[in-house]
């Protein structure tokens, strides 16, 4: 019986680690924002200094539209590194750390950047 309990606990942990994240959500009010909790699927940087963090589960375009944000893509969120280079460096390193270690993040987004939700903060969870 003891071994069965340990086996079930291990199986539950493996299943929990392989679940996809929830769909990003948006919240209205005086400080309207969208939020994603989950894994960083991919990180993209181009020579125009745009950083994209791709969601594990895309946000339907109707969700940000519900709080007045018209985005062209629900697959990722963006930061323009030229606007705040120090924040961009910290965001990029945090995203890479999360991706490399398989840890979850919370990303909050306010506004639009190049047709994507604009990232303005990130949390990295303990392993």
């Amino acid at each position: 019986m003891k071994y069965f309990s340990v086996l079930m606990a291990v199986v539950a942990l493996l299943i929990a680690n392989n679940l996809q994240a929830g769909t990003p959500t948006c919240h209205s009010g005086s400080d309207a924002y969208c939020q994603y909790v989950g894994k960083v699927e991919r990180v993209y940087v181009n020579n125009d200094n745009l950083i994209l963090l791709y969601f594990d589960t895309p946000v339907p375009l109707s969700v940000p539209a519900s709080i007045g944000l018209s985005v062209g893509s629900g697959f990722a969120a963006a930061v323009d590194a030229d606007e705040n280079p120090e924040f961009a460096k910290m965001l990029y390193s945090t995203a890479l750390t999360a991706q490399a270690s398989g840890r979850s993040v919370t990303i909050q987004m306010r506004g639009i950047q190049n047709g994507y939700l604009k990232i303005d903060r990130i949390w990295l969870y303990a392993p």
Side-chain angles (χ1 to χ4, degrees):
M1 186 67 163
K2 179 181 176 182
Y3 295 110
F4 180 74
S5 296
V6 171
L7 178 62
M8 291 309 294
V10 169
V11 169
L13 284 172
L14 290 172
I15 291 171
N17 283 336
N18 288 320
L19 292 177
Q20 287 192 330
T23 302
T25 59
C26 294
H27 308 275
S28 61
S30 61
D31 188 26
Y33 67 95
C34 295
Q35 179 171 294
Y36 169 74
V37 178
K39 306 288 184 187
V40 176
E41 180 69 23
R42 287 180 299 188
V43 180
Y44 167 87
V45 180
N46 68 22
N47 66 351
D48 289 328
N49 291 330
L50 184 68
I51 300 171
L52 297 178
L53 272 59
Y54 284 83
F55 307 130
D56 189 9
T57 305
V59 61
L61 300 183
S62 61
V63 174
S66 72
I67 63 165
L69 297 174
S70 179
V71 297
S73 174
F75 291 97
V79 166
D80 182 346
D82 291 332
E83 285 183 9
N84 188 340
E86 192 61 30
F87 172 71
K89 288 178 196 174
M90 290 187 287
L91 174 79
Y92 186 70
S93 67
T94 302
L96 290 181
T97 298
Q99 191 178 43
S101 64
R103 291 156 61 188
S104 292
V105 296
T106 293
I107 300 170
Q108 283 189 352
M109 300 146 288
R110 289 168 176 78
I112 304 293
Q113 180 71 60
N114 293 48
Y116 298 94
L117 291 167
K118 182 178 180 178
I119 301 169
D120 75 338
R121 58 197 78 196
I122 186 170
W123 288 262
L124 177 62
Y125 293 96

